[in-house]
mmCIF file of all heavy atoms in Angstrom:
data_model
loop_
_atom_site.group_PDB
_atom_site.id
_atom_site.type_symbol
_atom_site.label_atom_id
_atom_site.label_comp_id
_atom_site.label_asym_id
_atom_site.label_seq_id
_atom_site.Cartn_x
_atom_site.Cartn_y
_atom_site.Cartn_z
ATOM 1 N N THR C 1 15.084 -5.569 -10.326
ATOM 2 C CA THR C 1 14.239 -6.337 -11.220
ATOM 3 C C THR C 1 13.123 -7.021 -10.427
ATOM 4 O O THR C 1 13.389 -7.756 -9.481
ATOM 5 C CB THR C 1 15.039 -7.382 -11.981
ATOM 6 O OG1 THR C 1 15.989 -6.707 -12.843
ATOM 7 C CG2 THR C 1 14.157 -8.286 -12.831
ATOM 8 N N ALA C 2 11.890 -6.767 -10.841
ATOM 9 C CA ALA C 2 10.739 -7.314 -10.118
ATOM 10 C C ALA C 2 9.449 -6.903 -10.824
ATOM 11 O O ALA C 2 9.468 -6.047 -11.737
ATOM 12 C CB ALA C 2 10.700 -6.791 -8.685
ATOM 13 N N VAL C 3 8.354 -7.470 -10.399
ATOM 14 C CA VAL C 3 7.053 -6.971 -10.778
ATOM 15 C C VAL C 3 6.670 -5.936 -9.741
ATOM 16 O O VAL C 3 6.686 -6.201 -8.530
ATOM 17 C CB VAL C 3 5.990 -8.091 -10.833
ATOM 18 C CG1 VAL C 3 4.624 -7.496 -11.177
ATOM 19 C CG2 VAL C 3 6.383 -9.158 -11.851
ATOM 20 N N TYR C 4 6.328 -4.755 -10.221
ATOM 21 C CA TYR C 4 5.994 -3.649 -9.333
ATOM 22 C C TYR C 4 4.482 -3.488 -9.260
ATOM 23 O O TYR C 4 3.805 -3.423 -10.322
ATOM 24 C CB TYR C 4 6.640 -2.360 -9.814
ATOM 25 C CG TYR C 4 8.107 -2.295 -9.504
ATOM 26 C CD1 TYR C 4 9.028 -3.141 -10.137
ATOM 27 C CD2 TYR C 4 8.584 -1.469 -8.486
ATOM 28 C CE1 TYR C 4 10.386 -3.101 -9.833
ATOM 29 C CE2 TYR C 4 9.938 -1.425 -8.164
ATOM 30 C CZ TYR C 4 10.834 -2.257 -8.839
ATOM 31 O OH TYR C 4 12.173 -2.231 -8.501
ATOM 32 N N TYR C 5 3.947 -3.403 -8.051
ATOM 33 C CA TYR C 5 2.509 -3.298 -7.829
ATOM 34 C C TYR C 5 2.166 -1.965 -7.186
ATOM 35 O O TYR C 5 2.842 -1.530 -6.247
ATOM 36 C CB TYR C 5 2.041 -4.438 -6.919
ATOM 37 C CG TYR C 5 2.227 -5.810 -7.448
ATOM 38 C CD1 TYR C 5 3.356 -6.534 -7.201
ATOM 39 C CD2 TYR C 5 1.215 -6.390 -8.231
ATOM 40 C CE1 TYR C 5 3.553 -7.817 -7.702
ATOM 41 C CE2 TYR C 5 1.347 -7.665 -8.745
ATOM 42 C CZ TYR C 5 2.524 -8.373 -8.456
ATOM 43 O OH TYR C 5 2.685 -9.645 -8.973
ATOM 44 N N CYS C 6 1.135 -1.373 -7.671
ATOM 45 C CA CYS C 6 0.550 -0.192 -7.058
ATOM 46 C C CYS C 6 -0.515 -0.641 -6.065
ATOM 47 O O CYS C 6 -1.242 -1.621 -6.331
ATOM 48 C CB CYS C 6 -0.050 0.695 -8.127
ATOM 49 S SG CYS C 6 -0.951 2.140 -7.531
ATOM 50 N N ALA C 7 -0.647 0.063 -4.953
ATOM 51 C CA ALA C 7 -1.634 -0.288 -3.960
ATOM 52 C C ALA C 7 -2.266 0.952 -3.360
ATOM 53 O O ALA C 7 -1.609 1.984 -3.252
ATOM 54 C CB ALA C 7 -1.002 -1.163 -2.869
ATOM 55 N N ALA C 8 -3.519 0.803 -2.966
ATOM 56 C CA ALA C 8 -4.237 1.924 -2.374
ATOM 57 C C ALA C 8 -4.856 1.488 -1.041
ATOM 58 O O ALA C 8 -5.384 0.386 -0.930
ATOM 59 C CB ALA C 8 -5.330 2.428 -3.290
ATOM 60 N N GLY C 9 -4.757 2.384 -0.078
ATOM 61 C CA GLY C 9 -5.311 2.054 1.237
ATOM 62 C C GLY C 9 -6.776 2.416 1.350
ATOM 63 O O GLY C 9 -7.319 3.062 0.490
ATOM 64 N N SER C 10 -7.377 2.035 2.466
ATOM 65 C CA SER C 10 -8.781 2.349 2.694
ATOM 66 C C SER C 10 -8.965 3.082 4.009
ATOM 67 O O SER C 10 -10.090 3.204 4.499
ATOM 68 C CB SER C 10 -9.618 1.085 2.711
ATOM 69 O OG SER C 10 -9.139 0.175 3.692
ATOM 70 N N ARG C 11 -7.889 3.575 4.566
ATOM 71 C CA ARG C 11 -7.960 4.268 5.853
ATOM 72 C C ARG C 11 -7.357 5.656 5.714
ATOM 73 O O ARG C 11 -6.360 5.828 4.998
ATOM 74 C CB ARG C 11 -7.168 3.482 6.896
ATOM 75 C CG ARG C 11 -7.070 4.156 8.240
ATOM 76 C CD ARG C 11 -6.200 3.373 9.210
ATOM 77 N NE ARG C 11 -5.935 4.137 10.411
ATOM 78 C CZ ARG C 11 -5.133 3.713 11.405
ATOM 79 N NH1 ARG C 11 -4.590 2.511 11.314
ATOM 80 N NH2 ARG C 11 -4.935 4.464 12.450
ATOM 81 N N ILE C 12 -7.960 6.616 6.378
ATOM 82 C CA ILE C 12 -7.461 7.991 6.359
ATOM 83 C C ILE C 12 -6.475 8.154 7.516
ATOM 84 O O ILE C 12 -6.741 7.771 8.647
ATOM 85 C CB ILE C 12 -8.607 8.991 6.502
ATOM 86 C CG1 ILE C 12 -9.568 8.866 5.330
ATOM 87 C CG2 ILE C 12 -8.080 10.400 6.612
ATOM 88 C CD1 ILE C 12 -10.806 9.723 5.429
ATOM 89 N N TYR C 13 -5.347 8.754 7.227
ATOM 90 C CA TYR C 13 -4.322 9.016 8.224
ATOM 91 C C TYR C 13 -4.241 10.519 8.414
ATOM 92 O O TYR C 13 -3.937 11.252 7.464
ATOM 93 C CB TYR C 13 -2.954 8.456 7.802
ATOM 94 C CG TYR C 13 -2.944 6.972 7.691
ATOM 95 C CD1 TYR C 13 -3.224 6.353 6.476
ATOM 96 C CD2 TYR C 13 -2.670 6.159 8.793
ATOM 97 C CE1 TYR C 13 -3.232 4.958 6.371
ATOM 98 C CE2 TYR C 13 -2.656 4.794 8.684
ATOM 99 C CZ TYR C 13 -2.945 4.177 7.469
ATOM 100 O OH TYR C 13 -2.913 2.817 7.391
ATOM 101 N N PHE C 14 -4.492 10.986 9.638
ATOM 102 C CA PHE C 14 -4.443 12.421 9.912
ATOM 103 C C PHE C 14 -3.077 12.863 10.376
ATOM 104 O O PHE C 14 -2.797 14.062 10.500
ATOM 105 C CB PHE C 14 -5.518 12.792 10.947
ATOM 106 C CG PHE C 14 -6.908 12.580 10.417
ATOM 107 C CD1 PHE C 14 -7.654 11.486 10.847
ATOM 108 C CD2 PHE C 14 -7.479 13.467 9.512
ATOM 109 C CE1 PHE C 14 -8.939 11.281 10.357
ATOM 110 C CE2 PHE C 14 -8.751 13.265 9.025
ATOM 111 C CZ PHE C 14 -9.485 12.171 9.457
ATOM 112 N N SER C 15 -2.200 11.880 10.634
ATOM 113 C CA SER C 15 -0.824 12.210 10.968
ATOM 114 C C SER C 15 -0.012 12.125 9.678
ATOM 115 O O SER C 15 -0.564 11.984 8.582
ATOM 116 C CB SER C 15 -0.299 11.218 11.986
ATOM 117 O OG SER C 15 -0.234 9.942 11.399
ATOM 118 N N SER C 16 1.300 12.224 9.820
ATOM 119 C CA SER C 16 2.160 12.139 8.640
ATOM 120 C C SER C 16 2.566 10.687 8.352
ATOM 121 O O SER C 16 3.394 10.460 7.473
ATOM 122 C CB SER C 16 3.415 12.981 8.871
ATOM 123 O OG SER C 16 4.129 12.506 9.995
ATOM 124 N N TYR C 17 1.957 9.757 9.041
ATOM 125 C CA TYR C 17 2.296 8.363 8.838
ATOM 126 C C TYR C 17 2.025 7.914 7.434
ATOM 127 O O TYR C 17 0.974 8.220 6.843
ATOM 128 C CB TYR C 17 1.513 7.465 9.815
ATOM 129 C CG TYR C 17 1.767 5.987 9.637
ATOM 130 C CD1 TYR C 17 2.967 5.430 10.081
ATOM 131 C CD2 TYR C 17 0.833 5.173 9.013
ATOM 132 C CE1 TYR C 17 3.209 4.081 9.887
ATOM 133 C CE2 TYR C 17 1.064 3.830 8.821
ATOM 134 C CZ TYR C 17 2.264 3.297 9.278
ATOM 135 O OH TYR C 17 2.487 1.950 9.091
ATOM 136 N N VAL C 18 2.936 7.119 6.896
ATOM 137 C CA VAL C 18 2.762 6.549 5.542
ATOM 138 C C VAL C 18 2.647 5.050 5.695
ATOM 139 O O VAL C 18 3.542 4.387 6.212
ATOM 140 C CB VAL C 18 3.981 6.863 4.654
ATOM 141 C CG1 VAL C 18 3.836 6.206 3.310
ATOM 142 C CG2 VAL C 18 4.161 8.391 4.508
ATOM 143 N N PRO C 19 1.547 4.487 5.264
ATOM 144 C CA PRO C 19 1.351 3.024 5.363
ATOM 145 C C PRO C 19 2.450 2.308 4.584
ATOM 146 O O PRO C 19 2.794 2.705 3.461
ATOM 147 C CB PRO C 19 -0.026 2.805 4.799
ATOM 148 C CG PRO C 19 -0.343 3.996 3.987
ATOM 149 C CD PRO C 19 0.395 5.146 4.616
ATOM 150 N N ARG C 20 2.953 1.208 5.176
ATOM 151 C CA ARG C 20 4.077 0.508 4.541
ATOM 152 C C ARG C 20 3.981 -1.015 4.680
ATOM 153 O O ARG C 20 4.954 -1.699 4.308
ATOM 154 C CB ARG C 20 5.367 0.986 5.185
ATOM 155 C CG ARG C 20 5.451 0.701 6.679
ATOM 156 C CD ARG C 20 6.441 1.620 7.368
ATOM 157 N NE ARG C 20 5.971 3.013 7.369
ATOM 158 C CZ ARG C 20 6.597 3.996 7.932
ATOM 159 N NH1 ARG C 20 7.740 3.792 8.545
ATOM 160 N NH2 ARG C 20 6.123 5.248 7.901
ATOM 161 N N TYR C 21 2.853 -1.497 5.128
ATOM 162 C CA TYR C 21 2.682 -2.937 5.266
ATOM 163 C C TYR C 21 1.513 -3.368 4.370
ATOM 164 O O TYR C 21 0.555 -2.628 4.173
ATOM 165 C CB TYR C 21 2.379 -3.300 6.732
ATOM 166 C CG TYR C 21 3.490 -2.874 7.657
ATOM 167 C CD1 TYR C 21 3.358 -1.747 8.454
ATOM 168 C CD2 TYR C 21 4.675 -3.582 7.710
ATOM 169 C CE1 TYR C 21 4.395 -1.333 9.281
ATOM 170 C CE2 TYR C 21 5.703 -3.180 8.548
ATOM 171 C CZ TYR C 21 5.565 -2.070 9.335
ATOM 172 O OH TYR C 21 6.576 -1.658 10.164
ATOM 173 N N GLU C 22 1.601 -4.576 3.845
ATOM 174 C CA GLU C 22 0.594 -5.035 2.908
ATOM 175 C C GLU C 22 -0.808 -4.989 3.484
ATOM 176 O O GLU C 22 -1.752 -4.628 2.772
ATOM 177 C CB GLU C 22 0.896 -6.463 2.457
ATOM 178 C CG GLU C 22 2.072 -6.578 1.510
ATOM 179 C CD GLU C 22 2.170 -7.936 0.851
ATOM 180 O OE1 GLU C 22 1.108 -8.464 0.440
ATOM 181 O OE2 GLU C 22 3.270 -8.462 0.706
ATOM 182 N N TYR C 23 -0.962 -5.311 4.793
ATOM 183 C CA TYR C 23 -2.294 -5.336 5.380
ATOM 184 C C TYR C 23 -2.934 -3.968 5.477
ATOM 185 O O TYR C 23 -4.128 -3.815 5.705
ATOM 186 C CB TYR C 23 -2.271 -5.987 6.754
ATOM 187 C CG TYR C 23 -1.574 -5.194 7.844
ATOM 188 C CD1 TYR C 23 -2.219 -4.203 8.545
ATOM 189 C CD2 TYR C 23 -0.229 -5.456 8.166
ATOM 190 C CE1 TYR C 23 -1.585 -3.463 9.549
ATOM 191 C CE2 TYR C 23 0.409 -4.733 9.161
ATOM 192 C CZ TYR C 23 -0.258 -3.758 9.821
ATOM 193 O OH TYR C 23 0.390 -3.017 10.797
ATOM 194 N N GLU C 24 -2.131 -2.930 5.272
ATOM 195 C CA GLU C 24 -2.658 -1.548 5.311
ATOM 196 C C GLU C 24 -3.228 -1.105 3.956
ATOM 197 O O GLU C 24 -3.731 -0.020 3.856
ATOM 198 C CB GLU C 24 -1.547 -0.585 5.758
ATOM 199 C CG GLU C 24 -1.050 -0.842 7.171
ATOM 200 C CD GLU C 24 0.047 0.075 7.607
ATOM 201 O OE1 GLU C 24 1.085 0.134 6.874
ATOM 202 O OE2 GLU C 24 -0.091 0.734 8.644
ATOM 203 N N TYR C 25 -3.096 -1.961 2.968
ATOM 204 C CA TYR C 25 -3.579 -1.634 1.642
ATOM 205 C C TYR C 25 -4.705 -2.586 1.255
ATOM 206 O O TYR C 25 -4.629 -3.777 1.437
ATOM 207 C CB TYR C 25 -2.439 -1.706 0.626
ATOM 208 C CG TYR C 25 -1.434 -0.606 0.790
ATOM 209 C CD1 TYR C 25 -0.346 -0.744 1.670
ATOM 210 C CD2 TYR C 25 -1.586 0.609 0.116
ATOM 211 C CE1 TYR C 25 0.561 0.290 1.844
ATOM 212 C CE2 TYR C 25 -0.669 1.628 0.279
ATOM 213 C CZ TYR C 25 0.393 1.476 1.136
ATOM 214 O OH TYR C 25 1.303 2.497 1.332
ATOM 215 N N ALA C 26 -5.767 -1.991 0.692
ATOM 216 C CA ALA C 26 -6.957 -2.751 0.382
ATOM 217 C C ALA C 26 -7.103 -3.090 -1.089
ATOM 218 O O ALA C 26 -7.808 -4.028 -1.452
ATOM 219 C CB ALA C 26 -8.205 -2.010 0.852
ATOM 220 N N TYR C 27 -6.473 -2.276 -1.935
ATOM 221 C CA TYR C 27 -6.656 -2.435 -3.383
ATOM 222 C C TYR C 27 -5.294 -2.566 -4.050
ATOM 223 O O TYR C 27 -4.331 -1.858 -3.666
ATOM 224 C CB TYR C 27 -7.423 -1.237 -3.945
ATOM 225 C CG TYR C 27 -8.709 -0.966 -3.234
ATOM 226 C CD1 TYR C 27 -8.785 0.049 -2.277
ATOM 227 C CD2 TYR C 27 -9.856 -1.712 -3.497
ATOM 228 C CE1 TYR C 27 -9.968 0.321 -1.592
ATOM 229 C CE2 TYR C 27 -11.035 -1.444 -2.816
ATOM 230 C CZ TYR C 27 -11.081 -0.453 -1.872
ATOM 231 O OH TYR C 27 -12.259 -0.201 -1.214
ATOM 232 N N TRP C 28 -5.232 -3.402 -5.047
ATOM 233 C CA TRP C 28 -3.960 -3.710 -5.700
ATOM 234 C C TRP C 28 -4.150 -3.685 -7.233
ATOM 235 O O TRP C 28 -5.164 -4.087 -7.749
ATOM 236 C CB TRP C 28 -3.448 -5.066 -5.291
ATOM 237 C CG TRP C 28 -3.101 -5.131 -3.847
ATOM 238 C CD1 TRP C 28 -3.955 -5.334 -2.790
ATOM 239 C CD2 TRP C 28 -1.800 -4.910 -3.275
ATOM 240 N NE1 TRP C 28 -3.265 -5.269 -1.608
ATOM 241 C CE2 TRP C 28 -1.939 -5.048 -1.854
ATOM 242 C CE3 TRP C 28 -0.535 -4.694 -3.798
ATOM 243 C CZ2 TRP C 28 -0.858 -4.899 -0.994
ATOM 244 C CZ3 TRP C 28 0.551 -4.576 -2.935
ATOM 245 C CH2 TRP C 28 0.370 -4.664 -1.554
ATOM 246 N N GLY C 29 -3.098 -3.212 -7.900
ATOM 247 C CA GLY C 29 -3.066 -3.293 -9.352
ATOM 248 C C GLY C 29 -2.562 -4.649 -9.808
ATOM 249 O O GLY C 29 -2.213 -5.505 -8.973
ATOM 250 N N GLN C 30 -2.507 -4.827 -11.109
ATOM 251 C CA GLN C 30 -2.090 -6.116 -11.685
ATOM 252 C C GLN C 30 -0.579 -6.239 -11.740
ATOM 253 O O GLN C 30 -0.065 -7.364 -11.879
ATOM 254 C CB GLN C 30 -2.669 -6.250 -13.094
ATOM 255 C CG GLN C 30 -4.182 -6.406 -13.105
ATOM 256 C CD GLN C 30 -4.634 -7.634 -12.364
ATOM 257 O OE1 GLN C 30 -4.176 -8.747 -12.581
ATOM 258 N NE2 GLN C 30 -5.585 -7.458 -11.419
ATOM 259 N N GLY C 31 0.132 -5.148 -11.652
ATOM 260 C CA GLY C 31 1.574 -5.221 -11.631
ATOM 261 C C GLY C 31 2.162 -4.880 -13.034
ATOM 262 O O GLY C 31 1.534 -5.104 -14.028
ATOM 263 N N THR C 32 3.374 -4.366 -12.995
ATOM 264 C CA THR C 32 4.107 -4.077 -14.220
ATOM 265 C C THR C 32 5.549 -4.555 -14.028
ATOM 266 O O THR C 32 6.157 -4.349 -12.998
ATOM 267 C CB THR C 32 4.038 -2.579 -14.584
ATOM 268 O OG1 THR C 32 4.672 -2.357 -15.839
ATOM 269 C CG2 THR C 32 4.719 -1.695 -13.517
ATOM 270 N N GLN C 33 6.072 -5.188 -15.059
ATOM 271 C CA GLN C 33 7.418 -5.808 -14.949
ATOM 272 C C GLN C 33 8.499 -4.741 -15.199
ATOM 273 O O GLN C 33 8.437 -3.981 -16.166
ATOM 274 C CB GLN C 33 7.585 -6.908 -15.993
ATOM 275 C CG GLN C 33 8.953 -7.537 -16.044
ATOM 276 C CD GLN C 33 9.260 -8.365 -14.810
ATOM 277 O OE1 GLN C 33 8.418 -9.172 -14.374
ATOM 278 N NE2 GLN C 33 10.442 -8.207 -14.256
#
């Protein structure tokens, strides 16, 4: 149970790395409960 937020990054990753820290995301949705 939580508010779930979608986020989008602003950096291109050429490796298989998946961003997983808040500072790696530049854009955020309003959230859905």
Side-chain angles (χ1 to χ4, degrees):
T1 295
V3 177
Y4 283 71
Y5 297 91
C6 175
S10 58
R11 176 184 170 183
I12 298 175
Y13 296 91
F14 295 103
S15 66
S16 61
Y17 177 75
V18 177
R20 61 202 67 178
Y21 302 102
E22 287 193 41
Y23 69 84
E24 296 178 305
Y25 290 88
Y27 307 100
W28 294 83
Q30 292 299 309
T32 184
Q33 176 70 46

